[in-house]
């Protein structure tokens, strides 16, 4: 089903702002409400909006299946590596990056890195699940 021109145009305008907001939540999740999971969901919603308004085949050319799968896998490996490296420094997800001043972007230690990893994992996983569901619908 093809969406109207208004829906397609609005989605094209809104999706970049959702990506920017998701990036903001990834970076500042340790300083303000929000975090990696919320950022990942918003990131996935921006892609799912494009898919529902423009169609799976058109969006699939830009956001390829294997790229989403790769981002999901690499972010999972990154999170596990972060936990293992932290274990070497004193505990599971131990905050080994000290320093910074209160309220600044680099004051969170490994928390911003963890937020970025979780956001990419969640965003790619939701997009990946949506792709799989659409493949199943295409074959039906």
């Amino acid at each position: 089903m093809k969406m109207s021109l208004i829906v397609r145009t609005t989605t094209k305008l809104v999706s970049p702002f959702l990506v920017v907001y998701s990036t903001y939540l990834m970076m500042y999740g340790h300083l303000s409400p929000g975090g990696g999971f919320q950022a990942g969901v918003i990131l996935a919603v921006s892609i799912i909006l494009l898919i529902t308004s423009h169609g799976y085949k058109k969006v699939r050319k830009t956001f390829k299946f294997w790229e989403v799968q790769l981002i999901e896998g690499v972010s999972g490996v990154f999170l596990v590596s972060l936990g293992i490296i932290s274990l070497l420094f004193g505990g599971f997800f131990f905050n080994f990056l000290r320093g910074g001043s209160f309220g600044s972007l680099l004051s969170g230690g490994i928390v911003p890195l963890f937020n970025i990893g979780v956001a990419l994992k969640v965003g790619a996983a939701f997009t990946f699940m949506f792709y799989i569901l659409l493949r199943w619908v295409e074959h039906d």
Side-chain angles (χ1 to χ4, degrees), residues 2-76:
K2 191 172 183 177
M3 294 284 177
S4 69
L5 179 65
I6 296 171
V7 172
R8 285 183 281 150
T9 305
T10 306
T11 304
K12 271 187 176 177
L13 292 173
V14 169
S15 286
F17 288 108
L18 288 175
V19 172
V20 170
Y21 186 59
S22 172
T23 305
Y24 171 79
L25 286 179
M26 271 189 244
M27 301 303 291
Y28 288 93
H30 63 292
L31 298 174
S32 62
F37 189 85
Q38 293 86 351
V41 169
I42 291 171
L43 192 63
V45 164
S46 68
I47 296 171
I48 291 170
L49 273 176
L50 287 173
I51 291 171
T52 53
S53 65
H54 294 278
Y56 172 61
K57 290 179 181 173
K58 190 172 182 180
V59 175
R60 186 176 56 186
K61 291 176 185 172
T62 307
F63 301 104
K64 295 177 179 57
F65 188 79
W66 68 269
E67 291 173 344
V68 174
Q69 202 172 13
L70 181 70
I71 291 171
E72 204 247 344
V74 168
S75 60

